[in-house]
């Protein structure tokens, strides 16, 4: 993790486009060169993020996913920014469109996208990927017609396939959004899920 001083942070984010923020400030920015900068704050004094910061988790998960052959963002650098009390990950975004944007927009998508999504989820679970925040907004259909993952800090990757309990927990997260559940319903019904 590289320490980034305040002038260098300001230079990095100059003329950026903020695409996500909350009551504590900016969270995700698109920089001038098209790369992304995602900021993380520690929410509690005593937390595992003090030992293993979320920005580093994001970067570590990207490396592991890449080794498993799963498309994901490409990491440029991980920073600690003391002046704003944040950690950050700088990365090339995974090109493509989220499944949520595809099914809720005007864009055409492959007829078998629902089935491919569930096969993809089965595949990553067989590889040991426990993605507690998996939902249609975190899965991208790339220009190469592959499915990939984004927003990957809230993930663990085990050396064994996931248990039935872990798979069920992933499913609960997948259908938390009502529109996502409606879109997935036909295939979930068919698979008796």
């Amino acid at each position: 993790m590289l320490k980034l001083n305040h002038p260098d942070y300001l230079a990095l984010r100059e003329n950026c486009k903020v695409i996500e923020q909350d009551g504590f400030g900016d969270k995700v920015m698109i920089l001038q060169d098209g790369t992304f900068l995602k900021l993380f704050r520690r929410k509690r004094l005593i937390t595992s993020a003090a030992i293993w910061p979320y920005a580093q988790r994001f970067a570590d998960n990207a490396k592991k996913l890449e080794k498993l052959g799963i498309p994901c963002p490409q990491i440029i650098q991980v920073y600690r920014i003391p002046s704003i009390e944040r950690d950050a990950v700088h990365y090339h975004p995974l090109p493509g469109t989220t499944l949520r944007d595809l099914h809720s927009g005007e864009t055409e998508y492959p007829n078998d996208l629902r089935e491919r999504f569930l096969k993809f989820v089965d595949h990553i679970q067989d590889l040991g990927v426990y993605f507690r925040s998996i939902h249609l907004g975190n899965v991208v259909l790339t220009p190469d017609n592959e499915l990939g993952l984004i927003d990957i800090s809230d993930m663990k990757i085990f050396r064994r396939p996931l248990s039935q309990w872990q798979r069920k927990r992933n499913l609960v997260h997948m259908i938390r959004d009502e529109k996502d559940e409606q879109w997935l319903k036909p295939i979930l019904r068919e698979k008796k899920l």
Side-chain angles (χ1 to χ4, degrees):
M1 188 174 280
L2 187 66
K3 191 173 176 181
L4 190 64
N5 66 36
H6 199 64
D8 288 342
Y9 166 66
L10 293 176
L12 181 64
R13 64 165 292 157
E14 188 176 4
N15 296 320
C16 72
K17 178 182 178 187
V18 176
I19 58 170
E20 192 178 333
Q21 58 185 258
D22 63 14
F24 296 95
D26 298 339
K27 288 177 73 173
V28 183
M29 295 165 257
I30 302 176
L31 305 181
Q32 287 186 64
D33 62 0
T35 60
F36 280 44
L37 186 68
K38 184 174 176 74
L39 299 173
F40 296 89
R41 69 178 178 86
R42 215 183 318 162
K43 296 174 184 169
R44 293 178 295 281
L45 185 61
I46 299 171
T47 172
S48 62
I51 298 163
W52 190 27
Y54 282 100
Q56 191 61 57
R57 292 179 201 197
F58 188 107
D60 292 347
N61 286 336
K63 286 179 191 163
K64 290 175 186 175
L65 289 172
E66 191 176 351
K67 282 183 185 174
L68 293 172
I70 300 167
C72 64
Q74 300 298 302
I75 305 304
I76 299 167
Q77 187 59 261
V78 182
Y79 297 109
R80 171 145 292 153
I81 313 168
S83 62
I84 60 168
E85 298 180 340
R86 299 286 187 275
D87 296 323
V89 61
H90 184 197
Y91 59 93
H92 294 282
L94 181 63
T97 307
T98 68
L99 299 193
R100 182 174 290 153
D101 287 344
L102 282 172
H103 84 75
S104 62
E106 302 295 316
T107 313
E108 281 194 38
Y109 55 85
N111 290 333
D112 66 343
L113 191 57
R114 287 183 189 101
E115 292 86 355
R116 285 178 54 200
F117 169 66
L118 287 182
K119 282 181 186 171
F120 175 72
V121 171
D122 283 343
H123 173 65
I124 65 173
Q125 291 179 142
D126 288 344
L127 293 173
V129 177
Y130 183 42
F131 194 4
R132 293 172 295 185
S133 296
I134 194 163
H135 54 68
L136 299 180
N138 283 342
V139 180
V140 167
L141 180 64
T142 72
D144 295 332
N145 208 25
E146 292 183 286
L147 294 177
L149 298 174
I150 59 173
D151 200 8
I152 54 176
S153 56
D154 190 22
M155 166 187 294
K156 289 182 183 174
I157 302 173
F158 299 100
R159 293 181 185 180
R160 55 172 170 63
L162 298 190
S163 68
Q164 286 306 312
W165 179 84
Q166 290 167 320
R167 290 170 192 256
K168 273 188 181 173
R169 186 153 185 239
N170 276 348
L171 177 64
V172 168
H173 282 283
M174 283 188 323
I175 58 174
R176 270 196 307 192
D177 182 279
E178 198 176 303
K179 289 178 185 169
D180 290 355
E181 184 182 14
Q182 289 303 316
W183 188 73
L184 288 169
K185 218 177 226 179
I187 195 73
L188 293 175
R189 203 179 303 127
E190 187 180 301
K191 290 190 171 279
K192 297 182 173 69
L193 295 173

